[in-house]
Amino acid sequence: MDYLRESLGFKVRKVGRYLRLYGPLRTWAKVQAQRHQRRTFDRLPPRREPSANQTVALIGCGNYQFSTIAYYLNMSFGRVIAGCMDRNVDRAASLSRHYSIPFYTTDASELLDREQVRLVYIASNHASHAEYASEALARGKDVYIEKPHVVSVDQLDRLTAAMKRSPGRVYLGFNRPGSRLGRIAREYLSAESGPGMYNWFVAGHQIDPDHWYFRPEEGGRVLGNLCHWTDFLLSLVPYSAFPVRIVPTRTSKSDCDIAVTYTFGEGSIGAITFSAKGHTFEGVKERFSAHKGNVLLALDDFQRLQVEVIDRKRVYRNLFRDHGHQTNIVGAYENSTQQGRYDRDERLAYIANTALLFLKTKQALDENREITVESFARPKAITKAG
C-alpha cells in the first residue's frame, strides 16, 4: 500500500498507531522513509570524501536500509557510515543527505575498493545479496547480509566458498531469535528436554502482483518473508535434529496463503501458516505458540510473551514492539569493530543450514510435494578459512 496516496485521516491514524508500537523516533524514521522512496533531485548534492573513522558501507538504499539499518547505526554510533550505493542515484543521494553520509554512488565497487571500509551492510534486491557479499568477502571485508542471504543452492555454494577463502566475517539479517522476547522464549524452551511442538501464525502485508518480490529470480515471499520463521524454527532444534521432512499445503499460489509443517529427526514438529489476504494496518502480525516439556508459551507480535511452567505463570512485555532489529544490526557492528567471538565453523554451518531449510521449503511449495532434507552441514564438517 502506498501510504502517501491515502487520505489525511488514514495517515494520521497510521502515525498514531505507530507511535504506540514503535515510539516517536522510529515512527519518524518510518515516515521519512516513505518520502525517501519518492525523492528525486534536479541537481544531485555534492559528494565528499569520508573521514578515516567512517568504516561502514551500505549497499541498497531502499526503505529498510533507510528506516532500519542506517537509522540504528546512526543512532547508536553516530556518523560511522562512509558511503552508500544504490542503482537508483536519487535514492542513494537521498539516504546520503538525510544521514549526512559523505559519499554515494551507483557503483558498488567504488565502495568495496575503499581500504577504510571494513563492514558492508547489504540490503539490495534479494537476488543480488550473495553476489555483493561474495565481492566484499573477496576484498577481506566483513558483511551483514539482509534476508535472504541466497536465492539458490548455487549461490549458497559460491557464498560459502567465498567465506572459506576470506578472513571476513558474515552476519545475517535474521533478527527475531535475538530479540528480547525471542531470547526469553528460547531460554525457557532450551531448559526442557525432549522434542517440542512449535507453531507460527503470520498475517503478512499484502503486496501488489507486480511487486519485485514476485520476479522469478528474487524468490517470492517464501524467500522474502517466510525465511524469518523457518530460521526461528531452526534456532529451536539441535544440529542432530536432521533429516527434516517438509510437507506443504497450498492452493493455486505457491508462496501466499500457505501452510508448511516440519518434522525434525529428533521428534520436534513445527508449523508455519502464512496468510496474505489483505492489508494489515500495523504491518506483519504474528503469533508463536510452543509446548516443550513443562513449558507452554505464547508470543504475540514481539510485544507480549506469556510463559506457563506447570503451576507458575509469567508475562513479559515490551514497551514498544521489538523484533530484534537493533540488537542484530548493532551487534554486528560491535562484533566486527571489536573483533568479538566468532566461531567460523559454527557460522558456516548455520548459514548453510538456514538457507537449505528455506530453499527446500520453497521447492516443496513450488512443486506441491513433500521433501525430505537428508543432511545439513555440521560445524566439524566445514574447513576453516585461512
Side-chain angles (χ1 to χ4, degrees):
M1 178 177 287
D2 186 346
Y3 299 129
L4 296 181
R5 293 184 176 180
E6 296 300 314
S7 67
L8 178 60
F10 181 96
K11 293 174 184 175
V12 170
R13 290 191 297 273
K14 185 76 171 179
V15 170
R17 190 76 59 87
Y18 269 43
L19 284 169
R20 292 197 298 274
L21 288 173
Y22 298 109
L25 295 179
R26 186 84 196 283
T27 296
W28 178 244
K30 286 177 173 287
V31 169
Q32 290 300 306
Q34 293 294 316
R35 299 177 62 190
H36 157 74
Q37 293 287 92
R38 290 171 169 268
R39 187 171 289 122
T40 59
F41 294 86
D42 294 328
R43 178 179 295 178
L44 290 169
R47 304 190 303 178
R48 308 184 311 279
E49 281 301 303
S51 62
N53 63 345
Q54 293 178 304
T55 59
V56 173
L58 309 180
I59 292 181
C61 297
N63 187 312
Y64 186 79
Q65 190 80 269
F66 184 100
S67 66
T68 306
I69 295 177
Y71 168 77
Y72 282 124
L73 287 174
N74 192 71
M75 184 178 73
S76 302
F77 307 111
R79 295 177 181 176
V80 296
I81 304 171
C84 57
M85 172 270 171
D86 196 279
R87 292 180 180 177
N88 181 324
V89 69
D90 288 310
R91 286 189 180 175
S94 172
L95 195 148
S96 168
R97 189 175 73 172
H98 184 83
Y99 287 104
S100 299
I101 298 169
F103 188 82
Y104 66 91
T105 180
T106 58
D107 182 359
S109 63
E110 285 197 89
L111 291 179
L112 298 179
D113 287 340
R114 288 177 173 267
E115 255 187 68
Q116 75 187 92
V117 170
R118 299 304 312 149
L119 174 60
V120 183
Y121 284 81
I122 301 169
S124 48
N125 63 299
H126 298 160
S128 68
H129 287 178
E131 310 305 327
Y132 285 131
S134 295
E135 290 180 32
L137 288 168
R139 293 163 170 84
K141 315 292 188 187
D142 294 343
V143 293
Y144 178 102
I145 316 173
E146 186 45 44
K147 56 82 187 167
H149 48 298
V150 298
V151 296
S152 68
V153 172
D154 177 64
Q155 276 196 347
L156 178 61
D157 289 341
R158 288 187 283 114
L159 177 62
T160 53
M163 290 175 65
K164 293 174 188 179
R165 292 190 298 266
S166 173
R169 301 179 176 206
V170 177
Y171 312 95
L172 300 186
F174 292 118
N175 45 274
R176 281 163 173 78
S179 65
R180 174 177 173 265
L181 297 185
R183 291 195 307 271
I184 293 171
R186 291 167 63 218
E187 287 168 6
Y188 273 104
L189 294 170
S190 65
E192 301 293 312
S193 59
M197 292 289 292
Y198 310 115
N199 181 70
W200 279 103
F201 178 81
V202 182
H205 47 78
Q206 187 180 46
I207 57 178
D208 296 332
D210 61 349
H211 192 279
W212 65 267
Y213 263 40
F214 294 122
R215 295 173 192 161
E217 70 273 15
E218 301 295 347
R221 301 203 73 171
V222 173
L223 303 194
N225 297 123
L226 204 72
C227 61
H228 266 307
W229 299 285
T230 62
D231 179 78
F232 196 100
L233 283 182
L234 186 62
S235 75
L236 300 175
V237 298
Y239 284 114
S240 60
F242 303 101
V244 59
R245 183 164 61 98
I246 306 172
V247 180
T249 301
R250 49 160 283 196
T251 53
S252 59
K253 297 179 180 179
S254 65
D255 61 358
C256 295
D257 304 324
I258 55 176
V260 190
T261 59
Y262 302 86
T263 305
F264 294 94
E266 42 71 89
S268 290
I269 294 175
I272 303 173
T273 304
F274 182 78
S275 175
K277 292 185 176 297
H279 182 68
T280 53
F281 192 67
E282 295 181 358
V284 173
K285 301 283 287 183
E286 53 195 295
R287 181 182 177 89
F288 174 64
S289 301
H291 192 191
K292 183 181 180 184
N294 293 320
V295 169
L296 179 66
L297 61 80
L299 172 61
D300 290 300
D301 285 323
F302 288 86
Q303 282 190 279
R304 182 183 186 275
L305 171 65
Q306 178 175 296
V307 182
E308 297 179 44
V309 185
I310 311 178
D311 60 330
R312 291 176 292 136
K313 181 185 290 188
R314 189 166 181 182
V315 176
Y316 300 85
R317 291 183 174 87
N318 286 330
L319 177 60
F320 300 121
R321 184 182 290 178
D322 172 24
H323 290 103
H325 295 109
Q326 182 174 8
T327 298
N328 214 35
I329 292 161
V330 169
Y333 179 86
E334 291 176 338
N335 184 270
S336 173
T337 56
Q338 299 170 17
Q339 291 294 288
R341 180 188 178 276
Y342 185 87
D343 187 318
R344 194 169 298 272
D345 285 357
E346 186 180 275
R347 292 298 296 179
L348 275 163
Y350 163 62
I351 285 164
N353 288 342
T354 195
L356 285 171
L357 190 58
F358 65 66
L359 290 171
K360 291 301 181 181
T361 297
K362 176 173 168 51
Q363 182 184 348
L365 285 161
D366 284 346
E367 298 175 3
N368 201 16
R369 68 178 180 90
E370 176 183 317
I371 287 179
T372 297
V373 182
E374 295 292 346
S375 61
F376 277 50
R378 302 297 200 275
K380 292 181 181 178
I382 300 176
T383 304
K384 285 186 178 181

